[in-house]
Amino acid sequence: MKDRTEHIRAIVEQYEDLTFIPLRIEDAFSRDWWDSVGGKHISDNLGIDLTNEGSYFNQSNTDLLLSSISNEGNEGDSKSPVQQLQKYIFSLPTQTAILSTVQTLTRILLLHTASAIGSSHLLLGTSLTSLSISLISSISQGGGFVVREEGKEEWVPPRSVTQMKTNGHENGNIRVVRPLQDIGMKECAMWAWWHGLNVVGREKFPGGKQSIGQLTKDFIVGLERDYPSTVSTIARTCSKLAPKHGTDGICLFCQRPAQYGLQDWRAQTAIRSFKSITSYRPPHFPERDTTDVPTSPSPPSLTPFLCYHCHTTLTSRSSRGTTAVSVSKDDPTPMPLWVTSSSAASTVSSTVRVATQDPYSGEEIWNRKKMDVEQMKATVAEFLFE
C-alpha cells in the first residue's frame, strides 16, 4: 500500500496552529512508541496460541493461552514491529477480523498518544454515514454491548501507563468527540469541494470485499443514495440503546467495557470442532493409571480478560475457510504492547492464584479453575458403574 505520510505532512504544514504527529499501525508493537507514551516496562514478550481449540469437555471453543515468545528473527536479529504486525495480521482467521483489528489498533494508538501529550479530547472525522456503518458493523461482529461507545466514548488510561501530562480531567480521561457525526457523507464532500480542501485519499484493503465491514458499507451507502433519511435513523436508534446488565471490567485489547457474566455464558456454550472431539476417549476404553503422574499448572489464559467482540475476532472461523497462515504452537502470535503489559501484571498471576487483579480498577476478579478429563472422572468415579 502507498505511504502517504509526506503528503499528509505537507497538508498539515499549511495550518500554523496544527502539529503533525505521525503514527503507524506497527507502532502497536514498538517498544519505542510504548515508552514514549508512558507505558510501563515489559520484561517478557508474551504471545497467544491461536492453534489451541481446547478439549472436548473443559474448555471453550478456543482458549487463548499466553506464553513467552522469542523476539529474534530467522537470522538471529531482533524482530521489527513491522514483522510482528505482519505475523499478527497473518494469524487472524478472517478478512473481517483483519479490518476490525486495524480499526481497533488505530483507535488505541490515537488514544494513548493523545494522553501522552496531555490532550483532554480526541476529535475524529467520523461523519453520519461512517458512524452508521460502524454501528451496524460492530453489532454484527458481537460488539452490541459497547454500541454507545461508538457514538460517545470516554476513555480511561489503564494502570499499565504512567500519565505523562495532566489534561484537567479526573484520572486523565479522554473524551472522544465526533463533530461531524450529524452530517452525511454527501454534505461533507460538498463542503470540502466548496472550500477547496485537499482531502487525503485512503486505499482499500485488498481482499476485504467480503468482510462484514465492507458489506455493511455497501449497504449503508446504498441506503443513503436511495433513502437518505434512513441513515440518520440508524444513528438515532442506536444512541438510545443501553446494556441490560453492568460491566465486568475493561477488555485488555480494545479497552472498552466487557459484558458481565461473559465467562458463565462461554462455559454453557458447546460449539466444538471435529478435531477436538476426536481426542475424547470413551469411558469403556482402558486408560493408563495417571494418579502418580504430577500435573503441571495450566498456562495462563487471556480469554477471561477479553470482551466478546475481541475474543470472537481472534477465534472465529469462516464457513468459507480461513485467511490465517499456519502458525506453529512453539511460535505464538505476538500481541500489542498494551495487552502484554497488562497481561504480565495480571493474567500470568492467575496460574498461582484463583483471584487476580483488574489492571484498571485494581479490584479482584475471580476465575473458575478448569479441570482436565482425568480430574473430572475422579470426581464422579464413585457414581460410575464398572
Side-chain angles (χ1 to χ4, degrees):
M1 300 180 70
K2 185 178 179 180
D3 187 355
R4 301 178 182 269
T5 304
E6 296 305 321
H7 184 196
I8 300 174
R9 188 191 305 274
I11 294 177
V12 174
E13 288 178 352
Q14 300 175 8
Y15 305 91
E16 298 180 355
D17 297 333
L18 297 181
T19 303
F20 180 58
I21 303 177
L23 289 174
R24 296 178 180 274
I25 300 297
E26 60 264 24
D27 288 339
F29 302 87
S30 171
R31 286 180 178 259
D32 292 337
W33 171 83
W34 182 244
D35 294 337
S36 68
V37 298
K40 294 184 178 179
H41 176 68
I42 304 174
S43 57
D44 296 329
N45 294 318
L46 298 177
I48 57 174
D49 179 13
L50 294 178
T51 63
N52 175 59
E53 294 199 12
S55 67
Y56 181 70
F57 285 100
N58 65 335
Q59 291 187 4
S60 58
N61 189 36
T62 303
D63 204 13
L64 302 175
L65 304 180
L66 283 166
S67 59
S68 298
I69 61 175
S70 173
N71 198 32
E72 295 183 354
N74 297 330
E75 299 179 358
D77 299 331
S78 178
K79 288 184 179 179
S80 65
V82 175
Q83 292 175 321
Q84 296 184 58
L85 173 63
Q86 289 174 343
K87 183 175 181 180
Y88 179 80
I89 293 296
F90 291 155
S91 301
L92 296 176
T94 62
Q95 297 176 357
T96 298
I98 294 175
L99 295 178
S100 176
T101 297
V102 170
Q103 293 176 355
T104 301
L105 294 179
T106 302
R107 174 179 145 270
I108 301 299
L109 286 170
L110 291 174
L111 287 170
H112 276 286
T113 304
S115 176
I117 63 177
S119 299
S120 59
H121 295 73
L122 175 64
L123 274 65
L124 301 179
T126 306
S127 66
L128 175 63
T129 308
S130 56
L131 176 61
S132 299
I133 294 172
S134 298
L135 291 170
I136 300 300
S137 178
S138 176
I139 294 174
S140 303
Q141 299 177 56
F145 184 77
V146 293
V147 68
R148 298 189 70 176
E149 274 70 15
E150 291 289 341
K152 183 179 180 180
E153 180 180 5
E154 186 163 343
W155 178 74
V156 182
R159 298 177 63 188
S160 59
V161 175
T162 303
Q163 190 171 357
M164 306 285 289
K165 296 180 181 179
T166 59
N167 59 7
H169 288 173
E170 184 181 0
N171 300 325
N173 295 4
I174 294 181
R175 295 174 184 171
V176 181
V177 182
R178 298 170 173 85
L180 303 177
Q181 65 178 4
D182 295 325
I183 304 176
M185 181 176 60
K186 291 182 179 179
E187 288 80 1
C188 291
M190 292 173 62
W191 192 89
W193 179 76
W194 280 336
H195 290 78
L197 298 182
N198 190 353
V199 180
V200 180
R202 184 178 64 177
E203 296 184 18
K204 294 183 179 180
F205 176 78
K209 295 182 178 180
Q210 297 301 318
S211 66
I212 292 178
Q214 185 60 42
L215 294 175
T216 304
K217 181 179 180 180
D218 295 340
F219 172 71
I220 299 297
V221 171
L223 280 180
E224 187 177 40
R225 181 179 60 250
D226 300 329
Y227 310 97
S229 61
T230 56
V231 178
S232 59
T233 303
I234 294 174
R236 287 198 304 267
T237 303
C238 291
S239 65
K240 300 176 183 178
L241 300 178
K244 185 177 180 181
H245 302 289
T247 180
D248 192 21
I250 302 295
C251 174
L252 292 188
F253 188 84
C254 69
Q255 299 186 357
R256 282 178 170 174
Q259 185 174 357
Y260 179 79
L262 187 57
Q263 292 304 308
D264 295 335
W265 180 83
R266 286 198 186 109
Q268 298 172 3
T269 304
I271 302 176
R272 308 293 175 188
S273 65
F274 181 77
K275 173 183 175 181
S276 61
I277 297 179
T278 55
S279 62
Y280 165 63
R281 180 189 296 271
H284 60 275
F285 273 42
E287 299 182 7
R288 63 184 182 90
D289 186 10
T290 59
T291 55
D292 297 332
V293 179
T295 59
S296 58
S298 59
S301 173
L302 186 62
T303 301
F305 299 90
L306 296 178
C307 65
Y308 177 77
H309 176 229
C310 292
H311 184 267
T312 304
T313 298
L314 293 171
T315 61
S316 61
R317 297 292 185 270
S318 173
S319 60
R320 299 183 180 182
T322 177
T323 60
V325 178
S326 178
V327 179
S328 172
K329 292 184 178 182
D330 299 329
D331 191 14
T333 302
M335 294 295 290
L337 293 179
W338 57 82
V339 178
T340 57
S341 177
S342 300
S343 302
S346 59
T347 312
V348 173
S349 61
S350 64
T351 58
V352 293
R353 294 190 302 164
V354 178
T356 59
Q357 280 191 339
D358 188 337
Y360 289 82
S361 63
E363 299 177 354
E364 286 187 338
I365 299 177
W366 289 81
N367 299 320
R368 286 192 175 93
K369 181 180 179 182
K370 295 182 179 180
M371 302 172 62
D372 57 25
V373 177
E374 298 296 333
Q375 292 173 326
M376 295 176 66
K377 183 179 179 181
T379 303
V380 298
E382 59 180 314
F383 303 102
L384 299 178
F385 294 101
E386 296 294 338

mmCIF file of all heavy atoms in Angstrom, residues 137-166:
data_model
loop_
_atom_site.group_PDB
_atom_site.id
_atom_site.type_symbol
_atom_site.label_atom_id
_atom_site.label_comp_id
_atom_site.label_asym_id
_atom_site.label_seq_id
_atom_site.Cartn_x
_atom_site.Cartn_y
_atom_site.Cartn_z
ATOM 1 N N SER A 137 -21.865 -2.501 11.767
ATOM 2 C CA SER A 137 -20.767 -3.456 11.665
ATOM 3 C C SER A 137 -20.367 -3.986 13.030
ATOM 4 O O SER A 137 -20.106 -5.184 13.201
ATOM 5 C CB SER A 137 -19.570 -2.791 10.974
ATOM 6 O OG SER A 137 -18.473 -3.669 10.907
ATOM 7 N N SER A 138 -20.307 -3.101 14.028
ATOM 8 C CA SER A 138 -19.937 -3.524 15.378
ATOM 9 C C SER A 138 -20.955 -4.491 15.961
ATOM 10 O O SER A 138 -20.587 -5.516 16.555
ATOM 11 C CB SER A 138 -19.793 -2.294 16.282
ATOM 12 O OG SER A 138 -19.514 -2.665 17.619
ATOM 13 N N ILE A 139 -22.231 -4.188 15.786
ATOM 14 C CA ILE A 139 -23.268 -5.084 16.294
ATOM 15 C C ILE A 139 -23.197 -6.443 15.594
ATOM 16 O O ILE A 139 -23.357 -7.496 16.224
ATOM 17 C CB ILE A 139 -24.658 -4.446 16.095
ATOM 18 C CG1 ILE A 139 -24.792 -3.186 16.970
ATOM 19 C CG2 ILE A 139 -25.768 -5.432 16.424
ATOM 20 C CD1 ILE A 139 -26.063 -2.403 16.739
ATOM 21 N N SER A 140 -22.934 -6.444 14.291
ATOM 22 C CA SER A 140 -22.855 -7.700 13.529
ATOM 23 C C SER A 140 -21.690 -8.567 13.972
ATOM 24 O O SER A 140 -21.730 -9.786 13.802
ATOM 25 C CB SER A 140 -22.732 -7.391 12.033
ATOM 26 O OG SER A 140 -23.807 -6.607 11.575
ATOM 27 N N GLN A 141 -20.670 -7.961 14.551
ATOM 28 C CA GLN A 141 -19.484 -8.706 14.975
ATOM 29 C C GLN A 141 -19.459 -8.983 16.470
ATOM 30 O O GLN A 141 -18.436 -9.410 17.001
ATOM 31 C CB GLN A 141 -18.220 -7.934 14.577
ATOM 32 C CG GLN A 141 -18.082 -7.727 13.085
ATOM 33 C CD GLN A 141 -16.874 -6.902 12.726
ATOM 34 O OE1 GLN A 141 -15.744 -7.226 13.074
ATOM 35 N NE2 GLN A 141 -17.100 -5.790 12.037
ATOM 36 N N GLY A 142 -20.577 -8.754 17.154
ATOM 37 C CA GLY A 142 -20.649 -9.080 18.572
ATOM 38 C C GLY A 142 -20.308 -7.936 19.501
ATOM 39 O O GLY A 142 -20.089 -8.168 20.696
ATOM 40 N N GLY A 143 -20.264 -6.704 18.995
ATOM 41 C CA GLY A 143 -19.939 -5.559 19.830
ATOM 42 C C GLY A 143 -21.142 -4.753 20.266
ATOM 43 O O GLY A 143 -21.012 -3.557 20.551
ATOM 44 N N GLY A 144 -22.302 -5.385 20.350
ATOM 45 C CA GLY A 144 -23.507 -4.662 20.722
ATOM 46 C C GLY A 144 -23.473 -4.091 22.126
ATOM 47 O O GLY A 144 -24.133 -3.089 22.410
ATOM 48 N N PHE A 145 -22.703 -4.713 23.029
ATOM 49 C CA PHE A 145 -22.656 -4.232 24.407
ATOM 50 C C PHE A 145 -22.040 -2.839 24.504
ATOM 51 O O PHE A 145 -22.378 -2.063 25.395
ATOM 52 C CB PHE A 145 -21.855 -5.217 25.265
ATOM 53 C CG PHE A 145 -21.814 -4.877 26.723
ATOM 54 C CD1 PHE A 145 -22.913 -5.123 27.535
ATOM 55 C CD2 PHE A 145 -20.691 -4.303 27.287
ATOM 56 C CE1 PHE A 145 -22.886 -4.795 28.885
ATOM 57 C CE2 PHE A 145 -20.655 -3.974 28.631
ATOM 58 C CZ PHE A 145 -21.760 -4.230 29.445
ATOM 59 N N VAL A 146 -21.150 -2.504 23.588
ATOM 60 C CA VAL A 146 -20.476 -1.200 23.634
ATOM 61 C C VAL A 146 -20.899 -0.325 22.464
ATOM 62 O O VAL A 146 -20.138 0.528 22.005
ATOM 63 C CB VAL A 146 -18.942 -1.379 23.643
ATOM 64 C CG1 VAL A 146 -18.476 -2.021 24.923
ATOM 65 C CG2 VAL A 146 -18.481 -2.192 22.432
ATOM 66 N N VAL A 147 -22.132 -0.511 21.975
ATOM 67 C CA VAL A 147 -22.578 0.241 20.814
ATOM 68 C C VAL A 147 -22.647 1.734 21.136
ATOM 69 O O VAL A 147 -22.454 2.584 20.255
ATOM 70 C CB VAL A 147 -23.942 -0.300 20.334
ATOM 71 C CG1 VAL A 147 -25.039 -0.004 21.342
ATOM 72 C CG2 VAL A 147 -24.303 0.274 18.977
ATOM 73 N N ARG A 148 -22.902 2.093 22.382
ATOM 74 C CA ARG A 148 -22.964 3.516 22.738
ATOM 75 C C ARG A 148 -21.586 4.167 22.661
ATOM 76 O O ARG A 148 -21.478 5.377 22.411
ATOM 77 C CB ARG A 148 -23.531 3.670 24.143
ATOM 78 C CG ARG A 148 -24.949 3.152 24.295
ATOM 79 C CD ARG A 148 -25.552 3.518 25.627
ATOM 80 N NE ARG A 148 -25.824 4.943 25.736
ATOM 81 C CZ ARG A 148 -26.427 5.506 26.766
ATOM 82 N NH1 ARG A 148 -26.824 4.761 27.793
ATOM 83 N NH2 ARG A 148 -26.641 6.803 26.800
ATOM 84 N N GLU A 149 -20.516 3.387 22.889
ATOM 85 C CA GLU A 149 -19.173 3.938 22.799
ATOM 86 C C GLU A 149 -18.797 4.332 21.375
ATOM 87 O O GLU A 149 -17.861 5.109 21.176
ATOM 88 C CB GLU A 149 -18.145 2.933 23.345
ATOM 89 C CG GLU A 149 -17.920 2.989 24.842
ATOM 90 C CD GLU A 149 -19.110 2.482 25.646
ATOM 91 O OE1 GLU A 149 -19.991 1.817 25.049
ATOM 92 O OE2 GLU A 149 -19.169 2.739 26.853
ATOM 93 N N GLU A 150 -19.491 3.773 20.390
ATOM 94 C CA GLU A 150 -19.214 4.147 19.009
ATOM 95 C C GLU A 150 -19.584 5.603 18.740
ATOM 96 O O GLU A 150 -18.966 6.270 17.911
ATOM 97 C CB GLU A 150 -19.977 3.237 18.043
ATOM 98 C CG GLU A 150 -19.499 1.796 18.004
ATOM 99 C CD GLU A 150 -18.141 1.658 17.345
ATOM 100 O OE1 GLU A 150 -17.736 2.580 16.611
ATOM 101 O OE2 GLU A 150 -17.491 0.619 17.557
ATOM 102 N N GLY A 151 -20.595 6.099 19.453
ATOM 103 C CA GLY A 151 -21.024 7.484 19.253
ATOM 104 C C GLY A 151 -20.525 8.438 20.311
ATOM 105 O O GLY A 151 -20.281 9.617 20.040
ATOM 106 N N LYS A 152 -20.366 7.949 21.537
ATOM 107 C CA LYS A 152 -19.930 8.800 22.640
ATOM 108 C C LYS A 152 -19.077 7.968 23.578
ATOM 109 O O LYS A 152 -19.557 7.034 24.212
ATOM 110 C CB LYS A 152 -21.142 9.371 23.384
ATOM 111 C CG LYS A 152 -20.783 10.333 24.503
ATOM 112 C CD LYS A 152 -22.035 10.865 25.167
ATOM 113 C CE LYS A 152 -21.682 11.837 26.299
ATOM 114 N NZ LYS A 152 -22.905 12.362 26.970
ATOM 115 N N GLU A 153 -17.816 8.313 23.664
ATOM 116 C CA GLU A 153 -16.874 7.493 24.429
ATOM 117 C C GLU A 153 -15.994 8.365 25.309
ATOM 118 O O GLU A 153 -15.588 9.457 24.920
ATOM 119 C CB GLU A 153 -15.993 6.674 23.474
ATOM 120 C CG GLU A 153 -14.972 5.784 24.164
ATOM 121 C CD GLU A 153 -14.124 4.995 23.185
ATOM 122 O OE1 GLU A 153 -14.276 5.224 21.961
ATOM 123 O OE2 GLU A 153 -13.300 4.170 23.635
ATOM 124 N N GLU A 154 -15.728 7.868 26.501
ATOM 125 C CA GLU A 154 -14.778 8.499 27.403
ATOM 126 C C GLU A 154 -13.779 7.436 27.845
ATOM 127 O O GLU A 154 -14.133 6.506 28.570
ATOM 128 C CB GLU A 154 -15.474 9.133 28.609
ATOM 129 C CG GLU A 154 -14.524 9.936 29.496
ATOM 130 C CD GLU A 154 -15.248 10.881 30.430
ATOM 131 O OE1 GLU A 154 -16.431 11.158 30.186
ATOM 132 O OE2 GLU A 154 -14.626 11.351 31.397
ATOM 133 N N TRP A 155 -12.564 7.572 27.406
ATOM 134 C CA TRP A 155 -11.531 6.549 27.600
ATOM 135 C C TRP A 155 -10.731 6.836 28.856
ATOM 136 O O TRP A 155 -10.313 7.966 29.111
ATOM 137 C CB TRP A 155 -10.613 6.519 26.379
ATOM 138 C CG TRP A 155 -9.485 5.539 26.459
ATOM 139 C CD1 TRP A 155 -9.549 4.179 26.334
ATOM 140 C CD2 TRP A 155 -8.104 5.841 26.655
ATOM 141 N NE1 TRP A 155 -8.297 3.622 26.437
ATOM 142 C CE2 TRP A 155 -7.392 4.633 26.637
ATOM 143 C CE3 TRP A 155 -7.396 7.035 26.841
ATOM 144 C CZ2 TRP A 155 -6.017 4.564 26.797
ATOM 145 C CZ3 TRP A 155 -6.022 6.973 27.010
ATOM 146 C CH2 TRP A 155 -5.338 5.748 26.979
ATOM 147 N N VAL A 156 -10.518 5.785 29.658
ATOM 148 C CA VAL A 156 -9.730 5.890 30.886
ATOM 149 C C VAL A 156 -8.390 5.203 30.654
ATOM 150 O O VAL A 156 -8.358 4.014 30.331
ATOM 151 C CB VAL A 156 -10.460 5.232 32.065
ATOM 152 C CG1 VAL A 156 -9.642 5.386 33.345
ATOM 153 C CG2 VAL A 156 -11.839 5.844 32.237
ATOM 154 N N PRO A 157 -7.265 5.902 30.804
ATOM 155 C CA PRO A 157 -5.959 5.268 30.611
ATOM 156 C C PRO A 157 -5.764 4.109 31.583
ATOM 157 O O PRO A 157 -6.132 4.213 32.760
ATOM 158 C CB PRO A 157 -4.960 6.405 30.890
ATOM 159 C CG PRO A 157 -5.740 7.654 30.677
ATOM 160 C CD PRO A 157 -7.142 7.336 31.094
ATOM 161 N N PRO A 158 -5.231 2.993 31.138
ATOM 162 C CA PRO A 158 -5.036 1.844 32.027
ATOM 163 C C PRO A 158 -3.913 2.097 33.026
ATOM 164 O O PRO A 158 -3.104 3.013 32.870
ATOM 165 C CB PRO A 158 -4.673 0.716 31.046
ATOM 166 C CG PRO A 158 -4.072 1.420 29.879
ATOM 167 C CD PRO A 158 -4.796 2.724 29.759
ATOM 168 N N ARG A 159 -3.859 1.255 34.034
ATOM 169 C CA ARG A 159 -2.827 1.390 35.072
ATOM 170 C C ARG A 159 -1.447 1.010 34.563
ATOM 171 O O ARG A 159 -0.452 1.269 35.227
ATOM 172 C CB ARG A 159 -3.198 0.523 36.265
ATOM 173 C CG ARG A 159 -4.511 0.920 36.928
ATOM 174 C CD ARG A 159 -4.860 -0.007 38.056
ATOM 175 N NE ARG A 159 -3.864 0.067 39.121
ATOM 176 C CZ ARG A 159 -3.842 -0.756 40.165
ATOM 177 N NH1 ARG A 159 -4.732 -1.726 40.258
ATOM 178 N NH2 ARG A 159 -2.925 -0.634 41.094
ATOM 179 N N SER A 160 -1.394 0.372 33.401
ATOM 180 C CA SER A 160 -0.096 -0.012 32.838
ATOM 181 C C SER A 160 0.607 1.157 32.172
ATOM 182 O O SER A 160 1.702 0.991 31.635
ATOM 183 C CB SER A 160 -0.286 -1.144 31.820
ATOM 184 O OG SER A 160 -1.162 -0.747 30.775
ATOM 185 N N VAL A 161 -0.006 2.346 32.203
ATOM 186 C CA VAL A 161 0.573 3.537 31.582
ATOM 187 C C VAL A 161 0.730 4.625 32.632
ATOM 188 O O VAL A 161 -0.193 4.889 33.408
ATOM 189 C CB VAL A 161 -0.324 4.054 30.431
ATOM 190 C CG1 VAL A 161 0.217 5.360 29.877
ATOM 191 C CG2 VAL A 161 -0.420 3.016 29.316
ATOM 192 N N THR A 162 1.903 5.219 32.672
ATOM 193 C CA THR A 162 2.161 6.345 33.561
ATOM 194 C C THR A 162 1.749 7.629 32.858
ATOM 195 O O THR A 162 2.193 7.900 31.740
ATOM 196 C CB THR A 162 3.647 6.417 33.946
ATOM 197 O OG1 THR A 162 4.034 5.178 34.555
ATOM 198 C CG2 THR A 162 3.900 7.554 34.915
ATOM 199 N N GLN A 163 0.905 8.411 33.516
ATOM 200 C CA GLN A 163 0.407 9.637 32.894
ATOM 201 C C GLN A 163 1.545 10.630 32.717
ATOM 202 O O GLN A 163 2.205 11.026 33.675
ATOM 203 C CB GLN A 163 -0.710 10.252 33.732
ATOM 204 C CG GLN A 163 -1.431 11.386 33.036
ATOM 205 C CD GLN A 163 -2.670 11.833 33.791
ATOM 206 O OE1 GLN A 163 -3.017 11.244 34.815
ATOM 207 N NE2 GLN A 163 -3.334 12.861 33.289
ATOM 208 N N MET A 164 1.784 11.051 31.462
ATOM 209 C CA MET A 164 2.891 11.940 31.144
ATOM 210 C C MET A 164 2.557 13.387 31.497
ATOM 211 O O MET A 164 3.363 14.107 32.076
ATOM 212 C CB MET A 164 3.237 11.825 29.662
ATOM 213 C CG MET A 164 3.522 10.401 29.203
ATOM 214 S SD MET A 164 5.126 9.792 29.714
ATOM 215 C CE MET A 164 6.192 10.766 28.651
ATOM 216 N N LYS A 165 1.346 13.833 31.137
ATOM 217 C CA LYS A 165 0.914 15.206 31.377
ATOM 218 C C LYS A 165 -0.529 15.192 31.853
ATOM 219 O O LYS A 165 -1.310 14.316 31.491
ATOM 220 C CB LYS A 165 1.029 16.055 30.099
ATOM 221 C CG LYS A 165 2.443 16.225 29.578
ATOM 222 C CD LYS A 165 2.444 17.085 28.327
ATOM 223 C CE LYS A 165 3.854 17.253 27.772
ATOM 224 N NZ LYS A 165 3.865 18.079 26.526
ATOM 225 N N THR A 166 -0.887 16.172 32.681
ATOM 226 C CA THR A 166 -2.274 16.304 33.125
ATOM 227 C C THR A 166 -3.089 17.031 32.063
ATOM 228 O O THR A 166 -2.590 17.926 31.379
ATOM 229 C CB THR A 166 -2.338 17.089 34.444
ATOM 230 O OG1 THR A 166 -1.759 18.387 34.251
ATOM 231 C CG2 THR A 166 -1.570 16.350 35.533
#
